[in-house]
Amino acid sequence: MMMTNQEVLSVYAAMGELTGQMVSAAGNADWDRLEALEQRVTAHVEKLKANEAAIELDGEQRQRKVSLIRKMLDDDRKVRDLTMPWMAQLSRLINSTGAERRLANAYGGV
Amino acid sequence: MATSGVSSSTGVLDVNGIVSQLMQAESRPLANYDKKTAAFQATLSAYGSLSGAIGVFQSALGGLTKASDFKALSAIAGDATVLSASAGAKAVAGNYNVNVQQLAQAQTLTSAGVASSKSAIGLGARTTLSFQFGSIGSGNFGLNGTALGAGVLSSGIGNGALTINGTAIATDSTTSSARALAEAINAKSTTTGVTATASAASSSATLFATFGDIETGADGGYTLSVGGVQIAAQGAGVLAGNGVTAAGIDAALADPSPVLTALTNAGITVSGTAAAGDLQFTRADGANVVVQETVTGSPAAVSGGIGLAPGAANGGSTVTAGSSIVLSSTNASPITVGGSNPALAGLTAGTGGSYLSGAFTQDATLASGTVVIDSTNNSLEGIRDAVNKANIGVTATIVNDGSANPYHLVFTATATGANASMKISLAGTDPDPADAALEALLAYDPAGAQNLTQTSAAQDTKLSVNGIAVSAHSNNVSEAIQGVSLTVTKVGSSSLNISKNTSSLKENINGFVKAYNDLTGTLKKLTAYDPDTKAAGPLQGDATAQSVQAQLRRMLGTSVTGIGGSLTTLSQIGITFDKTGTLSLDSGKLQKAIDENFDEIGALFGAIGNTTDNQVSFVSSTSATKPGTYALSITQMATQGALQSDAAVAPTTTIASDTSWSVILNDTVPSSSSNIATVTIPAGDYTPEELAKVLQSSINGIAAFSKKGAAVTASIDADGKLVLSSSKYGSASNIALADVSGSTVDSVFGAATPTAGLDVAGTLGGHAVIGSGQTLTGAAGSEVEGLKVDITGGTTGDRGTVSFSQGYAYQLNNLATTFLAKSGLISSRTDGINKSIKDIASARQKFADKLDDIEARYRKQYTALDVTLSQMQTTQQYLSQQLAALAANS
């Protein structure tokens, strides 16, 4: 099935909408929602990979596509930025409890 | 924690690593649980050490809880090969001389030889073999000789003719009477162990059956003498009837007369009369009796006389009457007769002997028993096995002496003592008699047929203590000296020293001090702070451990009450606490107490009970019994279950062959077959006393009863009635009889009704008691709880007092028992700790379960995030490519 130019652009628009929601999910540490949103994004990407190569966009349409891609890359960076402090916190947790964990292992279960 | 099954190799995050490290943080409280558990377990193991120490303490005290343990006496024999001894609590210190003359021995009877030990004896008729035990009265064991021959009476017995038990008897031409022979034999008695008694020698009872009046011619003369004593004489020229006549002889022998006096002086007694023709002269000592007629003058100058009609010429006569001897073995062993011609002495070569005119008296205290021999077991081996299996106080063996009929059955009584001689009687099944061949082989009655040979006699131990003769049925002699048990092992004499065993007393007291100090040492280690190691004992500040320590201290600080002796505190015998709470013993003070109050020291340590009535005895107490003195009042004496005949027993009671009764002894409700057994009563004619004995012994021979200690006594009461009673006392005591075969129960007891026994009843110190048989036990919950006394005799009413005290070792032992009891101080504490450990374990488990949930949630999230991030990466790459493509085309 061939996509029309309009259809390609509306896919990008839908993806942009989704990545925006991902930023908000990551901000709320709602990892389940983040995952679900990302799956939907991936589904769109798969669709684009199959069809987009044969589509020629005109100037306005290209402008629209560029701005949508920029927004999505921006959202991607925001999502990563939101996970980094959490990862850092986790890392600290790991480093400080290693000794205690060894003690617990020595006594084992009762 | 389980590891995730999700692969993370392609992801941007190490999910397993992150989750497991995250969980380490979450599980930090687990270590706290484990720390708490470890602390509780350390306390628990400290309590284990404490329990162990109390257990050791308790076992050390175990041997010190009886006052008698402290009153030990030592018994030391001067010659340990003669006897050994042990002294009990009732013994009195002193020196004794013990002279053992004879050792106890069991009777052995041996049968005649039989060709085969396996082939049948007799025809197999059902025969009951009854073994009874008793004493043999008045009967010598030995041999009866036959009358000495005429040749011996005139010319004696040549030397070498006779040996007894291998010893030659010195005989010669002067050994011409039973008396002389007996003297010769008795001269060797110490060697042979055999004594001889000469039977009385009597002239023939018919010697004077005919006595013609003596007539003498002008030169005739006649004298009649007996044993050299002239009885009658007639001078010359006397017509018959005017001189010596039968009546005249009798007149001369009429008491008093010089002739009779002379005869008596010569040891001759007179019986019968010449007139009646039965005049007889007897010498009790067995010397020969010589009746001599001497005639003088021309032939036929004398007529008439002994054995002659009046007018028949008398040429003079000499009649010598001899007798026989009886051999007796001093130890009732068979006698061996030998020599070149023992027949001269009236004896037969060979070994033998039996009870001569013996009498058998059954001993009712020894159980009797019966064995049935029939066609299935009527061989020597069959009889042997049947007797041994029946376990009736007799051991049967077969010996082979290598002769033509080599097999002999040997019966040995199990019990030693003169009261344990056997009587073996055989009876058939009424109306059939016992098998004749078995009867001929095995019947043995010391008062009758002795078809078995006694090879070893039943005999008592005989000894004297300081010159006082004592006999006992076995070689273990108790109470010959009060409180002392002797075991004699050899004939001989020995001194016996009974003295206070102060070393065992000191050992016990040192043992007590050490046991206490060991326990407090352990307690200290567990509860104290060690300034050197800076470590606290695991029970430092523990209330339970402190309570144990305090209770021990308090008990030792309280004086002993109840009996009221002069010793009531440990310090009186030199045991005191030092500064550190350790007991120490002042041996000088202890020695002084031993010297002055030896008998009372025991009461300081052990439990002791005294009664004022000698038919009331203290048995035991429990930890719940309070020391004190309690008045005893009896409202009902214990009685035995009994069966009394309804009338006096006949002078002779006949028990028929094959008489068996069913005996129900101490039966329960519901009835138990183990209380019912069949008794076989030996057939015979019995006096009332014999009947009582045979009943008692027969019933007590029942293995089913003796195994569980059930027994009966039978006696004849003042009214001549037969009373059969259970030896047990109380409500569980009863007895009844029922017919099985032979003579009926009614034929002996009439219409008698059994009466059941009663338990003793009363009060102790006014408190309720529980009576069982003769034993009263204080009821639970009262001061006298568990105090046990036996009332063995007397009547109802006030029976004096029972005093009871508990010494320190006894009390501490009880205290230790309560410490260690299931619901005691220590286990209730350790139970609590164990419960806490369990609670922690379950809390820990709950927490661990929760951790598992947390982990699962984390793992799921991280796995999802991992995938999400990697897809975001893909998306980002794609979008970047698109952006780059747009820039290139524009």
Side-chain angles (χ1 to χ4, degrees):
Chain A
M1 189 192 73
M2 295 292 292
M3 288 177 88
T4 63
N5 292 2
Q6 201 50 49
E7 279 170 340
V8 168
L9 275 183
S10 47
V11 167
Y12 272 100
M15 283 169 66
E17 178 62 23
L18 288 170
T19 57
Q21 286 179 32
M22 282 172 73
V23 173
S24 127
N28 294 328
D30 188 349
W31 312 117
D32 291 342
R33 183 163 154 74
L34 181 69
E35 179 199 0
L37 293 169
E38 170 54 30
Q39 276 170 11
R40 285 165 67 185
V41 171
T42 302
H44 287 305
V45 170
E46 293 306 313
K47 212 195 233 170
L48 291 175
K49 277 181 181 169
N51 299 296
E52 197 181 9
I55 302 292
E56 281 290 324
L57 296 177
D58 59 22
E60 195 187 332
Q61 286 171 328
R62 288 169 58 135
Q63 239 2 229
R64 173 97 178 111
K65 182 178 172 181
V66 166
S67 84
L68 281 169
I69 289 173
R70 287 223 165 101
K71 179 201 182 291
M72 282 186 273
L73 290 174
D74 190 40
D75 284 346
D76 180 81
R77 202 194 66 247
K78 282 180 184 159
V79 168
R80 286 175 197 278
D81 284 351
L82 282 167
T83 47
M84 288 321 286
W86 190 82
M87 297 302 287
Q89 191 190 347
L90 181 63
S91 174
R92 265 201 316 281
L93 208 56
I94 291 163
N95 290 335
S96 65
T97 57
E100 281 156 284
R101 177 66 183 183
R102 278 193 295 280
L103 187 68
N105 283 342
Y107 277 96
V110 174
Chain B
M1 271 165 246
T3 51
S4 170
V6 176
S7 164
S8 61
S9 56
T10 57
V12 293
L13 286 174
D14 175 2
V15 175
N16 279 334
I18 289 170
V19 170
S20 81
Q21 295 192 60
L22 183 66
M23 288 314 291
Q24 281 175 17
E26 295 280 0
S27 64
R28 195 178 343 180
L30 278 184
N32 289 337
Y33 286 124
D34 295 340
K35 234 189 262 179
K36 267 192 213 163
T37 301
F40 276 127
Q41 274 170 342
T43 310
L44 208 54
S45 109
Y47 273 113
S49 317
L50 180 58
S51 288
I54 293 174
V56 170
F57 177 62
Q58 193 181 29
S59 61
L61 293 179
L64 310 176
T65 54
K66 283 192 296 237
S68 54
D69 295 337
F70 289 81
K71 279 203 287 184
L73 292 165
S74 57
I76 296 161
D79 184 345
T81 65
V82 172
L83 60 89
S84 60
S86 67
K90 286 185 177 153
V92 179
N95 275 308
Y96 303 87
N97 281 313
V98 179
N99 186 7
V100 179
Q101 290 109 31
Q102 178 177 295
L103 295 180
Q105 178 175 295
Q107 188 186 34
T108 303
L109 299 174
T110 304
S111 77
V114 173
S116 160
S117 62
K118 294 185 195 297
S119 42
I121 297 162
L123 304 172
R126 187 174 181 276
T127 299
T128 304
L129 224 59
S130 296
F131 289 82
Q132 289 166 275
F133 303 92
S135 51
I136 298 168
S138 73
N140 283 328
F141 184 89
L143 294 168
N144 279 323
T146 55
L148 302 182
V152 171
L153 300 184
S154 60
S155 47
I157 300 170
N159 196 22
L162 177 66
T163 64
I164 289 180
N165 288 344
T167 299
I169 303 300
T171 52
D172 57 23
S173 60
T174 66
T175 317
S176 57
S177 68
R179 176 182 163 167
L181 176 59
E183 284 170 353
I185 291 169
N186 288 339
K188 302 286 187 188
S189 283
T190 48
T191 321
T192 59
V194 173
T195 59
T197 312
S199 309
S202 295
S203 59
S204 165
T206 55
L207 185 63
F208 283 84
T210 305
F211 189 86
D213 294 347
I214 303 295
E215 180 164 320
T216 43
D219 63 344
Y222 174 89
T223 56
L224 172 64
S225 61
V226 175
V229 175
Q230 186 176 303
I231 305 288
Q234 185 171 318
V238 179
L239 290 175
N242 292 343
V244 175
T245 61
I249 292 169
D250 290 338
L253 295 171
D255 189 34
S257 77
V259 172
L260 198 59
T261 305
L263 284 175
T264 303
N265 289 345
I268 298 171
T269 55
V270 179
S271 60
T273 59
D278 61 355
L279 180 65
Q280 220 180 338
F281 298 93
T282 300
R283 293 186 85 144
D285 65 2
N288 295 342
V289 176
V290 181
V291 179
Q292 192 167 31
E293 286 178 303
T294 310
V295 296
T296 53
S298 54
V302 178
S303 64
I306 293 172
L308 298 173
N314 187 336
S317 71
T318 300
V319 177
T320 303
S323 67
S324 58
I325 55 162
V326 177
L327 297 182
S328 298
S329 166
T330 51
N331 61 1
S333 301
I335 298 168
T336 302
V337 171
S340 59
N341 191 1
L344 289 178
L347 299 169
T348 311
T351 299
S354 63
Y355 285 97
L356 310 172
S357 67
F360 178 80
T361 310
Q362 184 171 17
D363 187 325
T365 64
L366 294 174
S368 57
T370 58
V371 169
V372 173
I373 304 299
D374 57 21
S375 58
T376 64
N377 60 354
N378 58 339
S379 65
L380 277 201
E381 288 184 358
I383 298 167
R384 175 195 66 190
D385 295 344
V387 168
N388 288 337
K389 194 180 162 212
N391 198 16
I392 47 177
V394 175
T395 305
T397 50
I398 293 173
V399 296
N400 176 343
D401 66 7
S403 65
N405 287 315
Y407 297 102
H408 299 262
L409 191 58
V410 178
F411 292 130
T412 305
T414 309
T416 59
N419 64 326
S421 283
M422 290 176 267
K423 177 183 172 183
I424 304 170
S425 46
L426 293 86
T429 306
D430 212 27
D432 300 324
D435 186 273
L438 288 176
E439 179 97 41
L441 186 72
L442 302 174
Y444 187 84
D445 180 356
Q450 294 167 39
N451 300 343
L452 294 157
T453 304
Q454 174 174 287
T455 43
S456 168
Q459 67 183 32
D460 285 340
T461 299
K462 284 189 179 148
L463 52 86
S464 65
V465 176
N466 289 351
I468 298 161
V470 175
S471 70
H473 295 321
S474 85
N475 290 327
N476 297 313
V477 185
S478 55
E479 296 304 315
I481 303 168
Q482 190 188 17
V484 177
S485 295
L486 297 173
T487 302
V488 299
T489 42
K490 203 174 86 175
V491 170
S493 62
S494 168
S495 62
L496 178 64
N497 179 266
I498 308 287
S499 57
K500 288 177 190 174
N501 192 342
T502 55
S503 69
S504 113
L505 175 88
K506 285 177 185 167
E507 207 174 284
N508 281 343
I509 290 175
N510 278 312
F512 173 82
V513 169
K514 183 177 182 300
Y516 181 84
N517 287 342
D518 285 352
L519 175 59
T520 51
T522 302
L523 266 167
K524 243 185 244 170
K525 226 182 275 167
L526 293 173
T527 56
Y529 175 79
D530 186 338
D532 295 336
T533 61
K534 298 206 164 101
L539 297 180
Q540 192 189 23
D542 182 278
T544 304
Q546 280 169 353
S547 168
V548 166
Q549 202 160 23
Q551 288 188 53
L552 290 171
R553 285 290 291 265
R554 192 160 57 241
M555 189 158 277
L556 288 187
T558 314
S559 56
V560 172
T561 59
I563 291 291
S566 60
L567 295 180
T568 56
T569 64
L570 284 177
S571 63
Q572 286 173 299
I573 60 163
I575 298 175
T576 48
F577 281 111
D578 68 9
K579 283 182 295 195
T580 64
T582 306
L583 285 181
S584 64
L585 176 62
D586 178 336
S587 55
K589 247 182 157 176
L590 175 60
Q591 188 58 51
K592 190 158 173 280
I594 288 172
D595 294 342
E596 292 170 3
N597 292 306
F598 181 76
D599 289 347
E600 289 185 25
I601 291 173
L604 264 187
F605 294 92
I608 188 166
N610 288 339
T611 62
T612 54
D613 187 311
N614 62 12
Q615 287 178 311
V616 177
S617 56
F618 168 80
V619 179
S620 63
S621 62
T622 68
S623 56
T625 315
K626 299 269 180 302
T629 298
Y630 305 101
L632 175 65
S633 174
I634 297 299
T635 55
Q636 174 177 290
M637 289 298 296
T639 61
Q640 296 165 307
L643 181 67
Q644 183 186 41
S645 65
D646 68 345
V649 183
T652 302
T653 301
T654 301
I655 298 293
S657 283
D658 200 28
T659 293
S660 289
W661 293 345
S662 172
V663 183
I664 303 113
L665 183 58
N666 302 338
D667 200 13
T668 49
V669 178
S671 184
S672 158
S673 62
S674 69
N675 297 321
I676 302 170
T678 301
V679 63
T680 301
I681 302 157
D685 293 333
Y686 296 102
T687 65
E689 285 72 21
E690 286 171 350
L691 181 65
K693 286 177 182 175
V694 81
L695 260 183
Q696 177 177 331
S697 290
S698 300
I699 294 173
N700 289 342
I702 299 171
F705 291 160
S706 58
K707 248 192 296 188
K708 50 181 185 179
V712 299
T713 51
S715 60
I716 301 296
D717 68 9
D719 300 328
K721 292 178 179 175
L722 175 61
V723 182
L724 181 65
S725 45
S726 166
S727 55
K728 186 181 181 134
Y729 280 85
S731 52
S733 169
N734 55 68
I735 185 163
L737 300 174
D739 295 333
V740 174
S741 63
S743 298
T744 62
V745 174
D746 279 4
S747 69
V748 174
F749 283 92
T753 315
T755 50
L758 296 171
D759 290 319
V760 67
T763 56
L764 196 48
H767 302 291
V769 290
I770 297 154
S772 171
Q774 296 184 305
T775 307
L776 278 184
T777 309
S782 71
E783 286 177 307
V784 294
E785 177 175 349
L787 181 57
K788 222 174 238 193
V789 289
D790 278 350
I791 293 89
T792 51
T795 55
T796 55
D798 289 337
R799 297 294 297 274
T801 58
V802 177
S803 306
F804 168 68
S805 82
Q806 299 165 325
Y808 293 111
Y810 183 86
Q811 293 189 56
L812 287 173
N813 191 45
N814 284 340
L815 187 60
T817 305
T818 61
F819 286 157
L820 297 180
K822 221 173 167 198
S823 56
L825 202 55
I826 291 176
S827 37
S828 57
R829 181 80 178 94
T830 51
D831 286 352
I833 294 172
N834 276 319
K835 189 178 174 298
S836 299
I837 290 176
K838 240 191 209 158
D839 289 348
I840 292 172
S842 80
R844 186 192 195 279
Q845 187 55 48
K846 256 186 216 160
F847 183 78
D849 291 346
K850 207 169 82 188
L851 279 186
D852 286 347
D853 293 345
I854 294 171
E855 182 191 356
R857 207 170 64 235
Y858 278 164
R859 191 171 291 283
K860 194 168 158 243
Q861 272 180 6
Y862 287 140
T863 306
L865 190 60
D866 187 27
V867 174
T868 302
L869 287 178
S870 98
Q871 282 178 350
M872 278 171 70
Q873 189 74 31
T874 311
T875 304
Q876 189 224 28
Q877 279 166 7
Y878 180 75
L879 293 176
S880 299
Q881 283 166 14
Q882 292 302 315
L883 197 58
L886 287 173
N889 293 344
S890 57

